[in-house]
Amino acid sequence: MTIYRPLTPDEIAIVQQQGCTAADWTTVQVTDAFECSQIRNVHFGGDVRIGSDNATDDELHIEGVTLCDVTIGRGTAIRCTDACIQHYDIGQNVTIVDIRRMACDADATFAEGLPITILRESGKPNIVLRSGMKDEPTGAGRKEKQSEETTGAAFEHSECSENADYSECSENTSRDRRGYIGDGAVIRHTPYITNTRVGANCIVEDAARVQNCTLTAHPEGTPSRIGMGAIVEDSIVSNGSVVDNYAIVRRCFVGECSTLTDAFTATDSLFFVNSFMACGEAVACYCGPFTVSHHKSTLLIGGKFAFFNAGSGTNCSNHAYKMGPLHHGELLRGCKTASNAHLVWPARVGAFTVCMGKIATHPDTTALPFAYLIGQADGTVRCLPGRNVASCGLWRDVQKWERRDRRLPQERRSDVDYNWLNAGIVQQIRQGLDMLRSWKGDTSYRGCIIRGKDIEAGIGYYELLLRLAIGDKRDPRYLGAIDEWADMLMADARKEFALGDVEADMLNNFICEVQKWKESIHQ
C-alpha cells in the first residue's frame, strides 16, 4: 500500500515559485520519492495524490494542468497547456500530452450496461453493452443452426429487459464513477476525454473526442487504439481494436482486433472478431466475425452478418412501405454482395450466397446455401442453388479467414468456428438437396425463381459439397470430390483470365495454390 504525506512548507514554497497554486495545500499528498522539480504551473483542487513508494521517480513530470481529485502513479508524464483533469485515477508510466479536459462525472457509466437497439432500428433496446462481449449468444460466427422462424420474425436478445435498471447491470461499472487510465497508456493531442476508462497500454492519439467509453486491453495481448480525428461516444472498444482516421462511432461494441477507419460511421451496432469497416456506414447491425466493408456509399442497416464482404455501393433498406425502419434481415455466414447490390428487408439469405442487383422480394433461402441471388430487371429474383461452389472466390475465402485472425492465442475470447462445412451448414445442404430433387421444371420458392436447369446443376453442386464434408482422407469419395472441386476452381479462374479480370501472374499463382492444397490432402 502506497504511503502518502503532505507537502512540507519548504516544498510548498518551491513549487509556488514554479507557478503552482492550490485551493488547499493540505489536500495535496505525495510520496517520499517526490521531487519539487517534477511539477510546474499546476493548480491543485480537492484531494490529489502523486507518486508511489519507489525510492526514486525520475520519470514523473507534471506541467500546465489543473488537477482536481486525482491520483497519479509513478513515472507518469503530463505535459499540457491550461488543461484540466478531474476525478481520475492515473496509473504508472502514463503519458498525457496536449489535452484540454479529462473529467469524470458522477453519473458516468463508461458505456457499461448501456442499452442499444440492433437489427430493429426503431424498436426498443434489445441488447446491453458490456466489456468482454462474445459472439456466442447468436452463433453468427460459429455453427449456423437451421431455424423455422419466418423471414420477418423478430430477433430477440435475452440480455435486455424493458424494465431493467441498466445503470448497475455490469459488474465492471464502478459505484464511485471515477475515471481510470491504466499503466503505460498514452494519450496525446486529444482535446476531450470524458467519462472514459482507458486500459493498460491503450493509445488515444490525435482523436477529436472520446466520451463515455471503455477501452480495454488483454494483459498479455494487444491494446486498443483511438486515432486521428476519431469521435467515439458511448462505446466499448476491445483489445487489439482500432478506431481512427475520422471514424465516428456511437453506442457500439467494437470487438477483438476489429478496425473502424476512413470516416466510417457506426451507430447502435456490434462488431465482433476481426471485422474491418471503412468509408461506409452501419446502423443497428450485428456484425459477426470477419464482417468487412471497404467501400464508400455502402450502407449496412438493420442487418445481421458474419464472414461477410460488402461490395461497393451495397445498400440495405429497412423502410418498407414508407412506414419507418420496421424491418431487418440476415445474411448467414460467408455471404457476399456485388457492387451496387440493394437488399430490401425483411430477407434471410442462405450461407455463402452471392447477392447481385436489387433483391426486393424478401427471399428466405436458408435451405439453399452457396447460391447466387440475382435481381432481374423485371423485379424478380433468380436463384442458382449451389452455384457459388464453382467460384474460385469461395476457395480463397475459406482459406484466408483463419490466417487473418489477428488475435494472439492468449487473448482470444470468442470461439470462432472456421469449419466452413460444419454440421449446421451440412444440414442446410441436405435439406436443399432434398428440395431440389423433389422439384420438376421452373419453380418459385420463397421469393425466388429457380429454373429447371439451375435445379439440375444445384443437385450436382450439393452432392459435391456433401462428399467434401466427409473430410476423411481414407474415403475415396472425399478424395474424388477434392479432385473434382480443384478442377472446377481452376476452370473458373481460367474463365476469369479469359474475360480479362485477372492477370496471368495471378492466375498462375492461384492454380499453384490449388494444386498444392490438393496434393497436401492426397499425401
Side-chain angles (χ1 to χ4, degrees), residues 248-270:
I248 301 175
V249 179
R250 293 187 173 98
R251 297 184 301 280
C252 291
F253 175 82
V254 184
E256 305 160 75
C257 293
S258 295
T259 299
L260 278 64
T261 187
D262 296 344
F264 188 84
T265 301
T267 306
D268 290 314
S269 297
L270 310 178

Side-chain angles (χ1 to χ4, degrees), residues 105-126:
D105 301 328
D107 59 351
T109 66
F110 316 105
E112 297 281 1
L114 180 70
I116 67 170
T117 301
I118 64 169
L119 300 186
R120 294 170 296 173
E121 184 186 5
S122 62
K124 296 178 181 179
N126 55 4

Side-chain angles (χ1 to χ4, degrees), residues 425-492:
I425 299 292
V426 170
Q427 180 183 356
Q428 294 165 7
I429 295 170
R430 292 186 185 278
Q431 182 179 354
L433 181 58
D434 290 341
M435 290 193 307
L436 294 181
R437 286 172 174 169
S438 68
W439 293 338
K440 303 297 182 183
D442 293 356
T443 300
S444 177
Y445 174 76
R446 295 190 177 184
C448 299
I449 302 297
I450 307 176
R451 297 179 181 176
K453 65 177 183 180
D454 297 328
I455 292 175
E456 294 300 320
I459 291 172
Y461 290 136
Y462 285 164
E463 289 176 342
L464 172 62
L465 282 168
L466 291 179
R467 286 185 285 133
L468 288 171
I470 294 172
D472 187 350
K473 295 182 179 181
R474 297 168 298 180
D475 193 319
R477 294 174 298 171
Y478 172 68
L479 296 178
I482 291 295
D483 293 339
E484 181 180 348
W485 193 34
D487 292 342
M488 191 179 293
L489 295 172
M490 290 186 286
D492 186 60

Side-chain angles (χ1 to χ4, degrees), residues 314-432:
T314 295
N315 184 18
C316 302
S317 295
N318 61 349
H319 283 69
Y321 309 114
K322 302 182 181 180
M323 295 299 291
L326 304 176
H327 304 289
H328 66 274
E330 179 177 6
L331 274 63
L332 300 184
R333 65 181 291 165
C335 289
K336 289 183 176 181
T337 54
S339 295
N340 299 316
H342 185 188
L343 307 174
V344 181
W345 303 140
R348 199 161 192 262
V349 178
F352 294 98
T353 293
V354 180
C355 300
M356 298 173 245
K358 184 174 182 177
I359 299 174
T361 57
H362 313 302
D364 182 354
T365 60
T366 305
L368 295 173
F370 298 92
Y372 278 6
L373 286 184
I374 307 173
Q376 306 291 298
D378 61 0
T380 61
V381 175
R382 181 183 174 189
C383 177
L384 285 68
R387 174 61 182 82
N388 196 30
V389 177
S391 169
C392 55
L394 173 66
W395 185 85
R396 292 183 65 251
D397 287 339
V398 300
Q399 298 292 319
K400 74 185 180 185
W401 282 318
E402 189 168 8
R403 294 200 305 262
R404 293 185 179 180
D405 193 335
R406 298 192 294 117
R407 299 174 298 166
L408 298 175
Q410 65 270 23
E411 63 179 347
R412 298 184 178 187
R413 290 195 306 266
S414 294
D415 183 15
V416 180
D417 182 6
Y418 291 105
N419 180 11
W420 64 289
L421 288 176
N422 61 43
I425 299 292
V426 170
Q427 180 183 356
Q428 294 165 7
I429 295 170
R430 292 186 185 278
Q431 182 179 354

Side-chain angles (χ1 to χ4, degrees), residues 242-245 247 249 254 258-266 269-272 274-283 285-288 290-295 298-300 305 308-310:
V242 176
V243 180
D244 69 354
N245 207 12
V249 179
V254 184
S258 295
T259 299
L260 278 64
T261 187
D262 296 344
F264 188 84
T265 301
S269 297
L270 310 178
F271 302 92
F272 290 100
N274 291 293
S275 291
F276 185 96
M277 317 298 286
C279 299
E281 181 177 4
V283 179
C285 284
Y286 186 110
C287 299
F290 293 93
T291 297
V292 175
S293 174
H294 281 275
H295 308 287
T298 296
L299 172 62
L300 305 179
F305 315 95
F308 168 69
N309 195 325

